[in-house]
Amino acid sequence: MVKHIVTFQLDGTAEERLEVAKKFKAALEALPAVIEPLQSIEVGLNQNPAEDWDVVLTAIVPTMADVEVYAKHPAHVAAAGLLAGHKKSRACVDYEF
């Protein structure tokens, strides 16, 4: 099994970042129903104003190859597109467990 953990820092005012983050979260949470190897996804929105990151997601897939299947799936590409013009930074870790 592989955990795919990604965190995003967004641009804009706090209100703009929260609006984009909520739409992104909803789109991501719909993905397990349409992406075969995606066993689960958890999306959190930062509630600590002292921290710089806005969104974190943890997805679980069976293999490292499935991370790529997930990443290239049209539904995931569409969800990621919601961050266009708003993404300041992204960090990712994939590991087998």
Side-chain angles (χ1 to χ4, degrees):
M1 300 299 288
V2 175
K3 279 195 181 178
H4 172 70
I5 301 173
V6 186
T7 187
F8 297 90
Q9 187 178 34
L10 305 177
D11 276 328
T13 66
E15 294 80 17
E16 290 167 339
R17 294 190 330 267
L18 181 59
E19 181 180 335
V20 170
K22 285 180 177 179
K23 290 177 184 176
F24 184 52
K25 180 181 188 317
L28 290 174
E29 289 175 339
L31 295 180
V34 296
I35 301 177
E36 176 76 29
L38 182 56
Q39 295 185 349
S40 68
I41 193 165
E42 180 179 350
V43 184
L45 305 183
N46 183 31
Q47 296 178 349
N48 182 349
E51 296 298 332
D52 294 330
W53 295 88
D54 297 290
V55 180
V56 65
L57 72 89
T58 302
I60 297 178
V61 295
T63 68
M64 283 291 187
D66 290 322
V67 174
E68 187 171 345
V69 170
Y70 157 77
K72 291 183 176 182
H73 192 282
H76 175 264
V77 172
L82 295 173
L83 297 184
H86 302 284
K87 184 171 58 175
K88 183 174 181 179
S89 294
R90 175 188 179 274
C92 178
V93 174
D94 296 313
Y95 66 92
E96 294 180 340
F97 68 102

Coordinates of all heavy atoms in Angstrom, one line a residue:
M1 N 0.8 -1.2 0.0 CA 0.0 0.0 0.0 C 0.9 1.2 0.0 O 2.0 1.2 0.6 CB -0.9 0.0 1.2 CG -1.8 -1.2 1.4 SD -3.0 -1.3 0.0 CE -4.1 0.0 0.3
V2 N 0.4 2.3 -0.6 CA 1.1 3.6 -0.7 C 0.3 4.7 -0.1 O -0.9 4.8 -0.5 CB 1.5 3.9 -2.1 CG1 2.2 5.2 -2.3 CG2 2.4 2.8 -2.7
K3 N 0.9 5.5 0.7 CA 0.3 6.8 1.1 C 0.9 7.9 0.3 O 2.1 8.0 0.2 CB 0.5 7.1 2.6 CG -0.4 6.3 3.5 CD -0.4 6.8 4.9 CE -1.4 6.0 5.8 NZ -1.4 6.5 7.1
H4 N 0.0 8.7 -0.3 CA 0.4 9.8 -1.1 C -0.1 11.1 -0.3 O -1.3 11.3 -0.2 CB -0.4 9.7 -2.4 CG -0.3 10.9 -3.3 ND1 0.9 11.3 -4.0 CD2 -1.2 11.8 -3.7 CE1 0.6 12.3 -4.7 NE2 -0.6 12.7 -4.6
I5 N 0.8 11.8 0.2 CA 0.5 13.0 1.1 C 1.0 14.2 0.4 O 2.1 14.3 0.0 CB 1.2 12.9 2.5 CG1 0.7 11.6 3.1 CG2 0.8 14.1 3.3 CD1 1.4 11.3 4.4
V6 N 0.1 15.2 0.2 CA 0.4 16.4 -0.5 C -0.1 17.6 0.3 O -1.3 17.5 0.8 CB -0.2 16.4 -1.9 CG1 0.2 17.7 -2.7 CG2 0.1 15.2 -2.7
T7 N 0.6 18.6 0.4 CA 0.2 19.9 1.0 C 0.3 21.0 0.1 O 1.2 21.0 -0.7 CB 0.9 20.1 2.4 OG1 0.3 21.2 3.1 CG2 2.4 20.3 2.2
F8 N -0.6 22.0 0.2 CA -0.6 23.1 -0.7 C -0.7 24.4 0.1 O -1.4 24.5 1.1 CB -1.9 23.1 -1.6 CG -2.0 21.9 -2.5 CD1 -2.6 20.7 -2.1 CD2 -1.4 21.9 -3.8 CE1 -2.7 19.6 -2.9 CE2 -1.5 20.8 -4.6 CZ -2.1 19.7 -4.2
Q9 N 0.1 25.4 -0.4 CA 0.0 26.7 0.0 C -0.6 27.5 -1.1 O -0.2 27.5 -2.2 CB 1.4 27.2 0.4 CG 1.5 28.6 1.0 CD 2.9 29.0 1.4 OE1 3.8 28.6 0.7 NE2 3.1 29.7 2.5
L10 N -1.6 28.3 -0.8 CA -2.4 29.0 -1.8 C -2.1 30.5 -1.7 O -1.7 31.0 -0.7 CB -3.9 28.8 -1.6 CG -4.3 27.3 -1.6 CD1 -5.8 27.2 -1.3 CD2 -3.9 26.6 -2.9
D11 N -2.3 31.2 -2.8 CA -2.2 32.7 -2.9 C -3.5 33.3 -2.7 O -4.6 32.7 -2.9 CB -1.7 33.1 -4.3 CG -0.2 33.0 -4.4 OD1 0.5 33.2 -3.4 OD2 0.3 32.8 -5.6
G12 N -3.5 34.6 -2.2 CA -4.8 35.3 -2.1 C -5.0 35.7 -0.6 O -4.3 35.4 0.2
T13 N -6.2 36.4 -0.5 CA -6.6 36.7 0.9 C -7.0 35.4 1.6 O -7.2 34.4 1.0 CB -7.8 37.7 0.9 OG1 -8.9 37.0 0.3 CG2 -7.5 38.9 0.1
A14 N -7.2 35.5 2.9 CA -7.6 34.3 3.7 C -9.0 33.9 3.2 O -9.2 32.6 3.1 CB -7.7 34.7 5.2
E15 N -9.8 34.8 2.9 CA -11.2 34.4 2.4 C -11.1 33.7 1.0 O -11.8 32.7 0.7 CB -12.1 35.6 2.3 CG -12.4 36.2 3.6 CD -11.3 37.1 4.2 OE1 -10.4 37.6 3.4 OE2 -11.3 37.4 5.4
E16 N -10.3 34.3 0.1 CA -10.1 33.7 -1.2 C -9.5 32.3 -1.1 O -9.9 31.3 -1.8 CB -9.2 34.6 -2.1 CG -9.8 35.9 -2.5 CD -8.8 36.9 -3.1 OE1 -7.6 36.7 -2.8 OE2 -9.3 37.8 -3.8
R17 N -8.5 32.1 -0.3 CA -7.8 30.8 -0.1 C -8.8 29.8 0.4 O -8.8 28.7 0.0 CB -6.6 30.9 0.8 CG -5.5 31.8 0.2 CD -4.1 31.7 0.9 NE -4.2 31.5 2.3 CZ -4.2 32.5 3.2 NH1 -4.2 33.7 2.9 NH2 -4.2 32.2 4.5
L18 N -9.6 30.2 1.4 CA -10.6 29.3 2.0 C -11.6 28.9 0.9 O -12.0 27.7 0.9 CB -11.3 29.9 3.2 CG -12.3 29.0 3.9 CD1 -11.6 27.7 4.4 CD2 -12.9 29.8 5.1
E19 N -12.1 29.8 0.1 CA -13.1 29.5 -0.9 C -12.5 28.5 -1.9 O -13.2 27.5 -2.2 CB -13.5 30.8 -1.6 CG -14.6 30.5 -2.7 CD -15.0 31.8 -3.4 OE1 -14.9 32.9 -2.8 OE2 -15.4 31.7 -4.5
V20 N -11.3 28.7 -2.4 CA -10.7 27.8 -3.3 C -10.4 26.4 -2.6 O -10.7 25.4 -3.2 CB -9.4 28.4 -3.8 CG1 -8.6 27.3 -4.6 CG2 -9.6 29.6 -4.7
A21 N -10.0 26.4 -1.4 CA -9.7 25.2 -0.7 C -10.9 24.4 -0.5 O -10.9 23.1 -0.7 CB -9.0 25.5 0.7
K22 N -12.0 25.0 -0.2 CA -13.3 24.2 0.0 C -13.8 23.6 -1.3 O -14.2 22.4 -1.3 CB -14.4 25.1 0.5 CG -14.3 25.5 2.0 CD -15.4 26.4 2.4 CE -15.3 26.7 3.9 NZ -16.4 27.6 4.3
K23 N -13.6 24.3 -2.4 CA -14.0 23.7 -3.7 C -13.1 22.5 -4.1 O -13.5 21.5 -4.6 CB -14.0 24.7 -4.8 CG -15.1 25.8 -4.7 CD -15.0 26.8 -5.7 CE -16.0 27.9 -5.5 NZ -15.9 29.0 -6.5
F24 N -11.8 22.7 -3.8 CA -10.8 21.7 -4.1 C -11.1 20.5 -3.2 O -11.0 19.3 -3.7 CB -9.4 22.3 -3.8 CG -8.2 21.4 -4.2 CD1 -8.1 20.8 -5.4 CD2 -7.3 21.2 -3.2 CE1 -7.0 20.0 -5.7 CE2 -6.2 20.4 -3.5 CZ -6.0 19.8 -4.7
K25 N -11.3 20.7 -2.0 CA -11.6 19.6 -1.0 C -12.8 18.7 -1.5 O -12.8 17.5 -1.6 CB -11.9 20.1 0.4 CG -12.2 19.1 1.4 CD -12.5 19.8 2.8 CE -12.6 19.0 4.0 NZ -13.4 17.8 3.9
A26 N -13.9 19.4 -1.9 CA -15.1 18.7 -2.4 C -14.8 17.9 -3.6 O -15.2 16.7 -3.8 CB -16.2 19.7 -2.6
A27 N -14.0 18.5 -4.6 CA -13.7 17.7 -5.8 C -12.8 16.5 -5.5 O -13.0 15.4 -6.1 CB -13.0 18.7 -6.7
L28 N -11.8 16.7 -4.6 CA -11.0 15.5 -4.3 C -11.7 14.4 -3.6 O -11.5 13.2 -3.8 CB -9.8 16.0 -3.4 CG -8.8 16.9 -4.0 CD1 -7.8 17.4 -2.9 CD2 -8.0 16.2 -5.1
E29 N -12.6 14.8 -2.7 CA -13.4 13.8 -1.9 C -14.3 13.0 -2.8 O -14.7 11.9 -2.4 CB -14.1 14.4 -0.8 CG -13.2 14.9 0.3 CD -13.8 15.7 1.4 OE1 -14.9 16.2 1.3 OE2 -13.2 15.8 2.5
A30 N -14.6 13.4 -4.0 CA -15.5 12.7 -4.9 C -14.7 11.7 -5.7 O -15.2 10.8 -6.4 CB -16.2 13.7 -5.9
L31 N -13.3 11.8 -5.7 CA -12.5 10.9 -6.6 C -12.5 9.4 -6.3 O -12.4 8.7 -7.3 CB -11.1 11.5 -6.6 CG -10.9 12.9 -7.1 CD1 -9.4 13.3 -7.1 CD2 -11.4 13.0 -8.6
P32 N -12.6 8.9 -5.1 CA -12.6 7.5 -4.9 C -13.7 6.8 -5.7 O -13.6 5.6 -6.0 CB -12.7 7.3 -3.4 CG -12.1 8.5 -2.8 CD -12.5 9.6 -3.8
A33 N -14.8 7.5 -5.9 CA -15.9 6.8 -6.6 C -15.6 6.7 -8.1 O -16.3 5.9 -8.8 CB -17.2 7.7 -6.5
V34 N -14.6 7.4 -8.7 CA -14.4 7.4 -10.1 C -13.0 7.0 -10.5 O -12.7 6.7 -11.7 CB -14.7 8.8 -10.8 CG1 -16.2 9.1 -10.6 CG2 -13.9 9.9 -10.2
I35 N -12.1 6.9 -9.5 CA -10.7 6.4 -9.9 C -10.5 5.1 -9.2 O -10.4 5.0 -8.0 CB -9.7 7.5 -9.4 CG1 -9.9 8.8 -10.1 CG2 -8.2 6.9 -9.7 CD1 -8.9 9.9 -9.6
E36 N -10.4 4.0 -10.0 CA -10.4 2.7 -9.6 C -9.3 2.4 -8.5 O -9.7 1.8 -7.4 CB -10.1 1.7 -10.8 CG -9.9 0.3 -10.4 CD -11.3 -0.4 -10.1 OE1 -12.3 0.0 -10.7 OE2 -11.2 -1.4 -9.4
P37 N -8.1 2.7 -8.6 CA -7.1 2.3 -7.6 C -7.1 3.2 -6.3 O -6.5 2.8 -5.3 CB -5.7 2.4 -8.2 CG -5.9 3.4 -9.3 CD -7.3 3.2 -9.8
L38 N -7.9 4.3 -6.3 CA -7.9 5.2 -5.2 C -8.8 4.6 -4.1 O -10.0 4.7 -4.2 CB -8.4 6.6 -5.6 CG -8.4 7.6 -4.5 CD1 -7.0 7.8 -3.9 CD2 -8.9 9.0 -5.1
Q39 N -8.2 4.0 -3.1 CA -8.9 3.4 -2.0 C -9.6 4.3 -1.1 O -10.7 4.1 -0.6 CB -8.1 2.3 -1.3 CG -7.7 1.2 -2.3 CD -6.9 0.1 -1.6 OE1 -6.5 0.3 -0.4 NE2 -6.7 -0.9 -2.3
S40 N -8.9 5.4 -0.8 CA -9.4 6.4 0.1 C -8.7 7.7 -0.1 O -7.5 7.8 -0.6 CB -9.4 6.0 1.6 OG -8.0 5.9 2.0
I41 N -9.3 8.8 0.4 CA -8.7 10.1 0.4 C -9.2 10.9 1.5 O -10.4 10.9 1.8 CB -8.8 10.9 -1.0 CG1 -7.9 12.1 -1.0 CG2 -10.2 11.3 -1.2 CD1 -7.7 12.7 -2.4
E42 N -8.3 11.6 2.2 CA -8.7 12.5 3.3 C -8.2 13.8 3.0 O -7.0 13.9 2.7 CB -8.2 11.9 4.7 CG -8.5 12.8 5.8 CD -8.0 12.2 7.2 OE1 -7.5 11.1 7.2 OE2 -8.1 12.9 8.1
V43 N -9.0 14.9 3.1 CA -8.5 16.2 2.8 C -8.8 17.1 4.0 O -9.9 17.1 4.5 CB -9.3 16.8 1.6 CG1 -8.7 18.2 1.2 CG2 -9.2 15.8 0.4
G44 N -7.8 17.8 4.5 CA -7.9 18.7 5.6 C -7.6 20.1 5.2 O -6.7 20.4 4.4
L45 N -8.4 21.1 5.8 CA -8.1 22.5 5.6 C -7.5 23.1 6.8 O -8.1 22.8 7.9 CB -9.4 23.2 5.2 CG -10.2 22.7 4.0 CD1 -11.5 23.5 3.8 CD2 -9.4 22.6 2.8
N46 N -6.4 23.8 6.7 CA -5.7 24.3 7.9 C -6.6 25.2 8.7 O -7.3 26.1 8.1 CB -4.5 25.0 7.4 CG -3.7 25.5 8.6 OD1 -3.7 24.9 9.7 ND2 -3.0 26.6 8.4
Q47 N -6.7 25.1 10.0 CA -7.4 26.0 10.8 C -6.5 26.8 11.7 O -7.0 27.5 12.6 CB -8.4 25.1 11.6 CG -9.5 24.5 10.8 CD -10.4 23.6 11.5 OE1 -10.3 23.3 12.7 NE2 -11.5 23.2 10.8
N48 N -5.2 26.6 11.6 CA -4.3 27.3 12.4 C -3.7 28.5 11.7 O -2.9 28.3 10.8 CB -3.1 26.4 12.8 CG -2.1 27.0 13.8 OD1 -2.1 28.2 14.0 ND2 -1.3 26.2 14.3
P49 N -4.1 29.7 12.0 CA -3.7 30.9 11.2 C -2.2 31.2 11.4 O -1.6 32.0 10.6 CB -4.5 32.0 11.8 CG -4.9 31.6 13.1 CD -5.1 30.1 13.1
A50 N -1.5 30.5 12.3 CA -0.1 30.7 12.5 C 0.7 29.9 11.5 O 2.0 30.1 11.4 CB 0.3 30.3 14.0
E51 N 0.1 29.0 10.8 CA 0.8 28.2 9.8 C 0.6 28.6 8.4 O -0.4 29.3 8.1 CB 0.3 26.7 10.0 CG 0.6 26.1 11.3 CD 2.1 26.0 11.6 OE1 2.9 25.9 10.6 OE2 2.5 26.0 12.8
D52 N 1.5 28.3 7.5 CA 1.5 28.8 6.1 C 0.8 27.9 5.1 O 0.5 28.4 4.0 CB 2.9 29.0 5.7 CG 3.7 30.1 6.5 OD1 3.0 31.0 6.9 OD2 4.9 30.0 6.6
W53 N 0.5 26.7 5.4 CA -0.1 25.7 4.5 C -1.6 25.7 4.6 O -2.1 25.8 5.7 CB 0.6 24.4 4.6 CG 2.0 24.4 4.3 CD1 3.0 24.7 5.2 CD2 2.6 24.3 3.0 NE1 4.2 24.7 4.5 CE2 4.0 24.4 3.2 CE3 2.1 23.9 1.8 CZ2 4.9 24.3 2.1 CZ3 3.0 23.8 0.7 CH2 4.4 24.0 0.9
D54 N -2.3 25.6 3.5 CA -3.7 25.7 3.5 C -4.5 24.4 3.4 O -5.5 24.3 4.0 CB -4.2 26.6 2.3 CG -3.6 28.0 2.4 OD1 -4.1 28.7 3.3 OD2 -2.7 28.4 1.6
V55 N -3.9 23.4 2.6 CA -4.6 22.2 2.4 C -3.7 21.0 2.5 O -2.5 21.1 2.1 CB -5.3 22.2 1.0 CG1 -6.0 20.9 0.7 CG2 -6.2 23.4 0.7
V56 N -4.1 19.9 3.1 CA -3.3 18.7 3.0 C -4.3 17.5 2.6 O -5.4 17.5 3.0 CB -2.7 18.4 4.4 CG1 -3.7 18.1 5.5 CG2 -1.7 17.3 4.3
L57 N -3.7 16.6 1.8 CA -4.5 15.4 1.5 C -3.6 14.2 1.7 O -2.4 14.2 1.5 CB -5.0 15.5 0.0 CG -3.9 15.3 -1.1 CD1 -3.8 13.9 -1.5 CD2 -4.4 16.1 -2.3
T58 N -4.3 13.2 2.1 CA -3.7 11.8 2.2 C -4.5 10.9 1.4 O -5.7 10.7 1.7 CB -3.6 11.4 3.7 OG1 -2.9 12.4 4.4 CG2 -3.0 10.0 3.8
A59 N -3.9 10.3 0.4 CA -4.6 9.3 -0.5 C -3.9 8.0 -0.3 O -2.7 7.9 -0.1 CB -4.6 9.7 -1.9
I60 N -4.7 6.9 -0.4 CA -4.1 5.6 -0.3 C -4.5 4.8 -1.6 O -5.6 4.7 -2.0 CB -4.7 4.8 0.9 CG1 -4.2 5.6 2.2 CG2 -4.2 3.4 0.9 CD1 -4.7 5.0 3.5
V61 N -3.4 4.2 -2.2 CA -3.5 3.4 -3.4 C -2.7 2.1 -3.1 O -1.8 2.1 -2.3 CB -3.1 4.2 -4.6 CG1 -4.0 5.3 -4.9 CG2 -1.6 4.6 -4.5
P62 N -2.9 1.1 -3.9 CA -2.2 -0.2 -3.7 C -0.7 -0.1 -4.0 O 0.1 -0.7 -3.3 CB -2.9 -1.2 -4.6 CG -4.3 -0.6 -4.8 CD -4.1 0.9 -4.8
T63 N -0.3 0.6 -5.1 CA 1.1 0.5 -5.5 C 1.6 1.9 -5.9 O 0.8 2.8 -6.2 CB 1.3 -0.4 -6.7 OG1 0.7 0.2 -7.9 CG2 0.8 -1.8 -6.5
M64 N 2.9 2.1 -6.0 CA 3.5 3.3 -6.5 C 3.0 3.6 -8.0 O 2.8 4.8 -8.3 CB 5.0 3.3 -6.5 CG 5.6 3.5 -5.2 SD 5.4 5.1 -4.6 CE 6.4 5.1 -3.1
A65 N 2.8 2.6 -8.8 CA 2.3 2.8 -10.1 C 0.9 3.4 -10.1 O 0.6 4.2 -11.0 CB 2.3 1.5 -10.9
D66 N 0.2 3.1 -9.1 CA -1.2 3.6 -9.0 C -1.2 5.1 -8.6 O -2.2 5.8 -8.9 CB -2.0 2.8 -7.9 CG -2.3 1.4 -8.4 OD1 -2.6 1.2 -9.6 OD2 -2.3 0.5 -7.6
V67 N -0.1 5.6 -8.0 CA 0.0 7.0 -7.8 C -0.1 7.8 -9.1 O -0.8 8.8 -9.3 CB 1.2 7.4 -7.0 CG1 1.4 8.9 -6.9 CG2 1.2 6.8 -5.6
E68 N 0.6 7.2 -10.1 CA 0.6 7.8 -11.4 C -0.8 7.7 -12.1 O -1.3 8.6 -12.8 CB 1.7 7.2 -12.3 CG 1.8 8.0 -13.6 CD 3.0 7.5 -14.4 OE1 3.9 6.8 -13.9 OE2 3.0 7.8 -15.6
V69 N -1.4 6.6 -11.9 CA -2.8 6.4 -12.5 C -3.7 7.4 -11.9 O -4.5 8.1 -12.6 CB -3.3 4.9 -12.2 CG1 -4.8 4.8 -12.5 CG2 -2.5 3.9 -12.9
Y70 N -3.7 7.6 -10.6 CA -4.5 8.6 -9.9 C -4.1 10.0 -10.4 O -5.0 10.8 -10.8 CB -4.2 8.5 -8.4 CG -4.5 9.7 -7.6 CD1 -5.8 10.1 -7.2 CD2 -3.5 10.5 -7.1 CE1 -6.1 11.2 -6.5 CE2 -3.7 11.6 -6.3 CZ -5.0 11.9 -6.0 OH -5.3 13.1 -5.2
A71 N -2.9 10.3 -10.5 CA -2.4 11.7 -10.9 C -2.9 12.0 -12.3 O -3.2 13.2 -12.6 CB -0.9 11.8 -10.8
K72 N -2.9 11.1 -13.2 CA -3.2 11.3 -14.6 C -4.7 11.2 -15.0 O -5.1 11.5 -16.1 CB -2.4 10.4 -15.5 CG -0.9 10.8 -15.5 CD -0.1 9.9 -16.4 CE 1.4 10.4 -16.5 NZ 2.2 9.6 -17.4
H73 N -5.5 10.7 -14.0 CA -6.9 10.5 -14.3 C -7.6 11.8 -14.6 O -7.3 12.8 -13.9 CB -7.5 9.8 -13.1 CG -8.9 9.3 -13.4 ND1 -10.0 10.1 -13.4 CD2 -9.4 8.0 -13.6 CE1 -11.1 9.4 -13.7 NE2 -10.7 8.1 -13.8
P74 N -8.4 11.9 -15.6 CA -9.1 13.1 -15.9 C -9.8 13.8 -14.8 O -9.8 15.0 -14.7 CB -10.0 12.7 -17.1 CG -9.4 11.5 -17.7 CD -8.8 10.8 -16.5
A75 N -10.4 13.0 -13.9 CA -11.1 13.6 -12.8 C -10.2 14.3 -11.8 O -10.5 15.3 -11.2 CB -12.0 12.6 -12.1
H76 N -9.0 13.7 -11.6 CA -8.0 14.3 -10.7 C -7.4 15.5 -11.4 O -7.2 16.6 -10.7 CB -6.9 13.3 -10.4 CG -5.8 13.9 -9.6 ND1 -4.6 14.4 -10.2 CD2 -5.6 14.2 -8.3 CE1 -3.8 14.9 -9.3 NE2 -4.4 14.8 -8.1
V77 N -7.2 15.5 -12.7 CA -6.6 16.6 -13.4 C -7.6 17.8 -13.3 O -7.2 18.9 -13.1 CB -6.3 16.3 -14.9 CG1 -6.0 17.5 -15.7 CG2 -5.2 15.2 -15.0
A78 N -8.9 17.5 -13.4 CA -9.9 18.6 -13.3 C -9.9 19.1 -11.9 O -10.0 20.4 -11.7 CB -11.3 18.0 -13.7
A79 N -9.8 18.3 -10.9 CA -9.8 18.8 -9.5 C -8.6 19.7 -9.3 O -8.7 20.8 -8.7 CB -9.8 17.6 -8.5
A80 N -7.4 19.2 -9.7 CA -6.2 20.0 -9.6 C -6.3 21.3 -10.3 O -5.7 22.3 -9.9 CB -5.0 19.2 -10.1
G81 N -7.1 21.4 -11.4 CA -7.3 22.6 -12.2 C -8.0 23.7 -11.4 O -7.8 24.9 -11.7
L82 N -8.7 23.3 -10.3 CA -9.3 24.3 -9.5 C -8.3 25.2 -8.8 O -8.7 26.3 -8.3 CB -10.2 23.6 -8.4 CG -11.4 22.8 -9.0 CD1 -12.1 22.0 -7.9 CD2 -12.4 23.8 -9.7
L83 N -7.1 24.7 -8.7 CA -6.0 25.5 -8.0 C -5.3 26.5 -9.0 O -4.5 27.2 -8.6 CB -5.0 24.6 -7.3 CG -5.5 23.7 -6.2 CD1 -4.4 23.0 -5.6 CD2 -6.3 24.5 -5.2
A84 N -5.6 26.4 -10.3 CA -5.0 27.2 -11.3 C -5.0 28.7 -10.8 O -6.1 29.2 -10.5 CB -5.6 27.0 -12.6
G85 N -3.9 29.3 -10.8 CA -3.8 30.7 -10.4 C -3.9 31.0 -8.9 O -3.8 32.1 -8.5
H86 N -4.0 29.9 -8.1 CA -4.1 30.1 -6.7 C -3.0 29.3 -6.0 O -2.7 29.6 -4.8 CB -5.4 29.6 -6.2 CG -6.6 30.2 -6.8 ND1 -7.0 31.5 -6.4 CD2 -7.4 29.9 -7.8 CE1 -8.0 31.9 -7.1 NE2 -8.3 30.9 -7.9
K87 N -2.3 28.4 -6.6 CA -1.3 27.5 -6.0 C 0.0 28.3 -5.9 O 0.6 28.7 -6.9 CB -1.1 26.2 -6.7 CG -0.1 25.3 -6.1 CD -0.1 23.9 -6.7 CE 0.2 24.0 -8.2 NZ 0.4 22.7 -8.8
K88 N 0.5 28.5 -4.6 CA 1.8 29.1 -4.4 C 2.9 28.1 -4.2 O 3.9 28.3 -4.8 CB 1.7 30.0 -3.1 CG 2.9 30.7 -2.7 CD 2.6 31.6 -1.5 CE 3.8 32.5 -1.1 NZ 3.5 33.3 0.0
S89 N 2.6 27.0 -3.5 CA 3.6 26.0 -3.3 C 2.9 24.6 -3.1 O 1.7 24.6 -2.7 CB 4.4 26.2 -2.0 OG 5.2 27.3 -2.1
R90 N 3.6 23.6 -3.4 CA 3.1 22.2 -3.2 C 4.3 21.4 -2.7 O 5.4 21.5 -3.2 CB 2.7 21.7 -4.6 CG 2.2 20.2 -4.6 CD 2.0 19.7 -6.0 NE 1.6 18.3 -6.1 CZ 2.4 17.3 -6.1 NH1 3.7 17.5 -6.1 NH2 1.9 16.1 -6.2
A91 N 4.0 20.5 -1.8 CA 5.0 19.5 -1.3 C 4.3 18.1 -1.3 O 3.1 18.0 -1.0 CB 5.5 19.9 0.1
C92 N 5.1 17.1 -1.6 CA 4.5 15.7 -1.7 C 5.5 14.7 -1.1 O 6.7 14.8 -1.3 CB 4.2 15.4 -3.2 SG 3.6 13.8 -3.4
V93 N 4.9 13.7 -0.5 CA 5.6 12.5 0.0 C 4.8 11.3 -0.4 O 3.6 11.3 -0.1 CB 5.9 12.6 1.5 CG1 6.6 11.3 1.9 CG2 6.8 13.7 1.8
D94 N 5.4 10.3 -1.0 CA 4.8 9.0 -1.3 C 5.6 7.9 -0.6 O 6.8 7.9 -0.8 CB 4.8 8.7 -2.8 CG 3.9 9.7 -3.6 OD1 2.8 10.0 -3.2 OD2 4.4 10.2 -4.6
Y95 N 4.9 7.1 0.2 CA 5.7 6.0 0.8 C 4.8 4.8 1.0 O 3.6 4.8 1.1 CB 6.3 6.5 2.2 CG 5.2 6.7 3.2 CD1 4.8 5.7 4.1 CD2 4.7 8.0 3.4 CE1 3.8 6.0 5.1 CE2 3.7 8.3 4.3 CZ 3.3 7.3 5.2 OH 2.4 7.5 6.2
E96 N 5.5 3.6 0.9 CA 4.9 2.4 1.1 C 4.8 2.1 2.6 O 5.6 2.4 3.4 CB 5.7 1.2 0.4 CG 5.7 1.4 -1.1 CD 6.5 0.3 -1.8 OE1 7.3 -0.3 -1.2 OE2 6.2 0.2 -3.1
F97 N 3.6 1.5 2.9 CA 3.4 1.1 4.3 C 2.8 -0.3 4.4 O 2.4 -0.8 3.5 CB 2.6 2.1 5.1 CG 1.2 2.2 4.6 CD1 0.2 1.6 5.4 CD2 0.8 2.9 3.5 CE1 -1.2 1.7 5.0 CE2 -0.5 3.0 3.1 CZ -1.5 2.3 3.8

